[in-house]
Structure formats: C-alpha cells, structure tokens
Amino acid sequence: LYSRAEPKMVLADEEETNEEEAEWRPARSWSPMEAEACWPDYCAMNALFARKVVEIYSHGDIIWTHDYHLLLLPSYLLRKLTNARIALFLHVPFPSSEIFRTLATREEILRAMLCADHIGFDLFE
C-alpha cells in the first residue's frame, strides 16, 4: 500500500510511534510443531494490517500486498472494502502441491489468496 504520509510504526497495541521508541519482539520461527500456536498470531497480524489499510483507503486505490506474511490480507480487506482492487505478489515461487498439502491451514490460506483480483509469483528458474 502506498501512502503519501510519513511512514509510522504501528505496534501490537496499535499506538503510533517513531522507530527510536519502538520495542521489537523477537520473531517466532515457524515449524510444524508450532503451527497451532502461531496461527492465531498470524491471523491477528493480518487483521491488524487490514484495519490500517481500511482506515487509509480511498476509493480507486489499488491495494498491492507483498509476500507470505500477508496471505490472509485479501480476505480481510474484501470483507470491509467490497469494491477494492487487491493484488498479491509472492517474491518466492508458490510451493509444490506436495509441500502445500502438508499445511494444516492450507484451505484458509488458499481461500484468502483467491480474494485478490491479481496474484503473482516468482518462478523457479
């Protein structure tokens, strides 16, 4: 999403602050053993992004999301912005069906991605 405003960091408590005041929490790495524990956080983070996008969206904007961190975002956005034009681009190739089918949340991810008007991927080359 492109905004002409100065970039601001939004923390989990949704307070706007500058980078010097921000506290970063350590990233959780994903593993199949932690999938259940991480999924609610992943959903909440996508919902937080969606709320912010809805807040600054103007009719006619194109919402362009990037990478696997925001795979659920098109679904959350379409619930609030029914006429928005949404694009999703992954800077990695889409996983093979053998890998993708191992994800417990594969249906939710795929349904959310398909809410985008345009989807792009890097290719194996």
Side-chain angles (χ1 to χ4, degrees), residues 28-42:
R28 292 178 79 173
S29 60
W30 184 88
S31 73
M33 304 301 256
E34 290 196 32
E36 280 187 37
C38 294
W39 182 250
D41 293 336
Y42 183 79

Side-chain angles (χ1 to χ4, degrees), residues 6-105:
E6 288 296 314
K8 295 179 182 168
M9 187 178 303
V10 180
L11 301 175
D13 60 5
E14 298 187 35
E15 278 187 28
E16 292 184 358
T17 184
N18 65 35
E19 197 165 332
E20 291 81 33
E21 298 169 351
E23 287 185 41
W24 291 99
R25 296 182 188 143
R28 292 178 79 173
S29 60
W30 184 88
S31 73
M33 304 301 256
E34 290 196 32
E36 280 187 37
C38 294
W39 182 250
D41 293 336
Y42 183 79
C43 293
M45 185 269 310
N46 274 259
L48 180 64
F49 265 82
R51 283 196 301 273
K52 193 63 171 178
V53 171
V54 167
E55 181 182 309
I56 63 175
Y57 176 80
S58 295
H59 180 72
D61 287 352
I62 297 173
I63 303 167
W64 193 277
T65 61
H66 290 263
D67 249 336
Y68 59 90
H69 308 90
L70 300 171
L71 291 178
L72 302 180
L73 189 59
S75 174
Y76 288 127
L77 290 173
L78 203 55
R79 295 173 193 178
K80 299 288 185 182
L81 304 171
T82 57
N83 294 321
R85 293 178 293 172
I86 302 169
L88 172 66
F89 186 81
L90 295 179
H91 294 270
V92 294
F94 195 74
S96 68
S97 60
E98 291 83 16
I99 303 262
F100 194 74
R101 70 179 175 176
T102 65
L103 298 175
T105 56

